[in-house]
Amino acid sequence: MKQPQTVASAQYLSFFLAGEEYALAILQVREIIEYDTVTRVPGTPAWIGGVVNLRGSVLPVIDLAMKLGLPPCTITRRTCIVVVEVDHQGDRLVLGLLTDAVGQVLDFGPGDVEATPPFGTPVHIDYLIGMGRAGKKFVLLLDANRILDTREIALADDVQRISVESAEPAPAAAELSPPEPASEPTP
């Protein structure tokens, strides 16, 4: 059985994927946005849903259910994108996690978090901090920094960079270098 991380009293944002409730530490969550058009980026893995325009910035969107090996999110009126910050080689990268619905903010103290059993969880136990006791049920506590490995975070960062570069406007005609004069044919 995997031991839970030592958890001081903390708040978690709960959300739903494939009928199960999960939660992320509220300190990893930047904001929650309503699902809007996600532009697919060709050549990316299926779990990278694409990108959205977040107040002029390109936000890579991860279909969290697919990344965790669950059926893909079904888009409904309750579908949300949870915007999180993850650590990547000393930098903070902002990603959107597609979820079926957002639940509530849960308070967990040190005695409310149990170790994750090595069996029976729908996701890989390395992605989990533990299981938070919420009344009679348990909520699986995810760590956004563990869900994507370094290579996958770099891929999401590349998607963001490529999307920004392809969205930059072409230079205006005045900014282009003047053409070289054609040489006159000699008689």
Side-chain angles (χ1 to χ4, degrees):
M1 183 178 279
K2 182 180 171 191
Q3 294 299 315
Q5 287 185 348
T6 303
V7 178
S9 294
Q11 292 185 320
Y12 289 79
L13 174 69
S14 74
F15 54 89
F16 295 88
L17 297 171
E20 294 290 328
E21 190 172 17
Y22 299 85
L24 285 168
I26 203 87
L27 294 176
Q28 290 184 298
V29 177
R30 202 181 225 198
E31 65 184 292
I32 302 163
I33 58 175
E34 185 178 341
Y35 179 84
D36 200 1
T37 304
V38 174
T39 304
R40 183 86 176 114
V41 178
T44 58
W47 53 265
I48 295 183
V51 295
V52 295
N53 180 345
L54 181 63
R55 294 181 295 281
S57 295
V58 175
L59 177 71
V61 177
I62 308 300
D63 186 327
L64 187 55
M66 287 185 74
K67 176 62 183 114
L68 298 176
L70 303 169
C73 282
T74 303
I75 306 304
T76 68
R77 62 181 188 82
R78 296 193 64 204
T79 302
C80 291
I81 297 172
V82 177
V83 181
V84 298
E85 289 184 350
V86 295
D87 293 321
H88 176 61
Q89 298 176 346
D91 292 328
R92 301 291 283 166
L93 179 64
V94 179
L95 300 171
L97 302 177
L98 189 62
T99 65
D100 292 333
V102 171
Q104 59 187 326
V105 174
L106 301 168
D107 290 307
F108 292 122
D112 296 329
V113 177
E114 299 289 332
T116 307
F119 61 89
T121 60
V123 299
H124 195 284
I125 64 171
D126 287 344
Y127 300 156
L128 301 172
I129 295 170
M131 298 185 323
R133 190 177 305 116
K136 294 182 180 181
K137 65 178 181 171
F138 284 101
V139 176
L140 296 175
L141 305 178
L142 295 171
D143 184 345
N145 291 319
R146 293 185 193 177
I147 294 170
L148 301 175
D149 66 27
T150 301
R151 183 181 51 79
E152 292 169 335
I153 291 174
L155 178 62
D157 193 28
D158 289 346
V159 167
Q160 181 180 24
R161 190 173 27 265
I162 290 167
S163 298
V164 168
E165 289 170 0
S166 66
E168 289 177 355
E175 295 174 350
L176 297 174
S177 302
E180 294 292 322
S183 55
E184 297 286 324
T186 45

